[in-house]
Amino acid sequence: MADHGRTPDQKTPGIGLLTVLLGAVAAGPILLYGLSATSDSIIAELGISEARFGLLATTCFGAAAVGSATLGRLADRHSDLSLMAFIFVLSALALLLVAVPDGFWMLLIAAGLSGVGIEAGRSLVMARAWRSAITRSNASATAGARNGSTSDRS
């Protein structure tokens, strides 16, 4: 079996990390999926048009786009644990705001927070993948240098 550039002291990421990363990526979109699934009820209860309901998705993904640059830098500078905590707290706050019976504007704010959570999850996964790729590259270069130096001696 191939070692994929790992040194013997590097552990393969376990199922626990995969599960937490999956949760981090899924935490943001949960709000938008829930709103979409219950759209008929929300439109009728709030007395809004379908176009106005569509503004929730627009706000969600607009907030994700605006937060992309900032959150990408944060993902590079902070630990995975602190970023996951940020994502889950932000997503929980968005879900709590949906529960507040304050009308369309509260849903709009919650959708914006959910969009930031979506982007934070994506940034976390990308930062984790980038760090993993750099580690593999460095391990490969180190192994290559060791193999090259032992072949020079013989």
Side-chain angles (χ1 to χ4, degrees):
M1 188 154 85
D3 68 353
H4 301 289
R6 279 186 221 95
T7 60
D9 60 336
Q10 284 181 311
K11 293 185 346 184
T12 303
I15 190 73
L17 177 63
L18 178 63
T19 303
V20 172
L21 286 175
L22 181 62
V25 171
I30 286 174
L31 173 85
L32 191 59
Y33 295 151
L35 290 175
S36 296
T38 58
S39 61
D40 291 339
S41 300
I42 293 172
I43 290 170
E45 189 173 316
L46 295 177
I48 60 174
S49 66
E50 290 177 358
R52 197 160 182 206
F53 183 82
L55 188 59
L56 294 172
T58 303
T59 300
C60 180
F61 291 112
V66 169
S68 182
T70 303
L71 293 170
R73 282 190 292 253
L74 285 175
D76 290 339
R77 293 185 180 144
H78 294 282
S79 72
D80 292 347
L81 182 62
S82 64
L83 288 170
M84 283 186 272
F86 174 73
I87 293 165
F88 289 124
V89 166
L90 195 63
S91 297
L93 180 61
L95 290 170
L96 286 173
L97 287 177
V98 168
V100 175
D102 202 20
F104 178 74
W105 295 106
M106 191 59 75
L107 286 179
L108 204 59
I109 292 168
L113 289 176
S114 178
V116 174
I118 289 171
E119 181 53 38
R122 189 199 65 78
S123 295
L124 171 65
V125 170
M126 294 302 293
R128 178 79 177 150
W130 180 252
R131 286 184 206 129
S132 179
I134 288 174
T135 302
R136 279 193 306 255
S137 175
N138 289 343
S140 225
T142 302
R146 267 189 261 151
N147 290 340
S149 63
T150 52
S151 64
D152 290 342
R153 291 182 197 163
S154 42

